[in-house]
Amino acid sequence: MGTPVGWSQGGSGSVCLAFDQLRDVIEAQEELIHQLRNVMVLQDENFVSKEEFQAVEKKLVEEKAAHAKTKVLLAKEEEKLQFALGDVEVLSKQLEKEKLAFEKALSSVKSRALQESSKKDQLITKCNEIESHVIKQEDILNGKENEIKELQQVISQQKEIFRNHMSDFWIQKQQENYMAQVLDQKHKKASGMRQTWSRQCSREK
């Protein structure tokens, strides 16, 4: 007997469909057998002809044979269905394990993502603090540089004033030296004249 309509080797859904179809066929055959039996009873009551009875009997035998074949096919399909259900159960358990493993891995990834996000936020906060500190330090350094520049200007001014004072002091010193030399020369000249006068007076005596 060929493969029933709707049967496919590729899945439990097809097996269930074939199983349902065979069950419907069996139910229809059993209903037909029941009807044929009723016909035979009526024929017996109405004294039908032998030919009609034989025809009905032959039909009943054919239906019984077809019914037997259908039952065998149904048994085979039930066996296939049991195998398919077993495969489905195994696949369901495997799918559940994979689902749990995936959920566990996903939870781990989410946890790591949260940790990395927290670390990133901490690093950003720390970088902002360092940047703020650097800006403050730069402001302090700029203030110190300005103070140094001002002090350098004061020192330059003081140097200039000191140079001017030194120049005035040098001029004054030169003038004092010159005056000392002039006075010394005058003193020497006066002393020489006194000595000459004294010698002349001694000769005259």
Side-chain angles (χ1 to χ4, degrees), residues 136-154:
K136 290 180 180 179
Q137 291 295 325
E138 287 179 350
D139 292 338
I140 293 173
L141 290 175
N142 290 331
K144 295 293 184 183
E145 288 180 356
N146 292 331
E147 290 180 4
I148 291 171
K149 288 179 181 179
E150 291 176 358
L151 290 173
Q152 286 177 343
Q153 290 177 356
V154 172

Side-chain angles (χ1 to χ4, degrees), residues 148 150-161:
I148 291 171
E150 291 176 358
L151 290 173
Q152 286 177 343
Q153 290 177 356
V154 172
I155 291 172
S156 298
Q157 292 174 358
Q158 289 178 348
K159 284 182 178 179
E160 186 66 26
I161 293 170

Side-chain angles (χ1 to χ4, degrees), residues 28-42:
Q29 289 175 343
E30 288 177 347
E31 179 66 22
L32 181 59
I33 291 170
H34 180 70
Q35 293 176 0
L36 289 173
R37 281 178 178 171
N38 290 335
V39 171
M40 290 176 66
V41 171
L42 291 173

Side-chain angles (χ1 to χ4, degrees), residues 92 142 156 186 200:
S92 296
N142 290 331
S156 298
K186 286 182 179 183
Q200 288 179 356

Side-chain angles (χ1 to χ4, degrees), residues 85-99:
L85 291 175
D87 292 339
V88 169
E89 184 177 1
V90 171
L91 291 174
S92 296
K93 290 181 179 179
Q94 183 177 356
L95 180 62
E96 186 65 21
K97 289 181 180 179
E98 292 178 355
K99 181 182 178 182

Side-chain angles (χ1 to χ4, degrees), residues 83-145:
F83 279 116
L85 291 175
D87 292 339
V88 169
E89 184 177 1
V90 171
L91 291 174
S92 296
K93 290 181 179 179
Q94 183 177 356
L95 180 62
E96 186 65 21
K97 289 181 180 179
E98 292 178 355
K99 181 182 178 182
L100 292 175
F102 173 77
E103 289 177 350
K104 184 177 180 181
L106 181 62
S107 177
S108 177
V109 170
K110 285 182 177 179
S111 177
R112 289 180 58 188
L114 289 174
Q115 291 177 357
E116 293 299 327
S117 178
S118 178
K119 288 181 180 179
K120 182 195 71 174
D121 293 339
Q122 291 176 358
L123 288 174
I124 290 174
T125 301
K126 189 172 183 180
C127 288
N128 290 333
E129 291 176 354
I130 293 173
E131 184 178 1
S132 177
H133 180 71
V134 168
I135 291 173
K136 290 180 180 179
Q137 291 295 325
E138 287 179 350
D139 292 338
I140 293 173
L141 290 175
N142 290 331
K144 295 293 184 183
E145 288 180 356

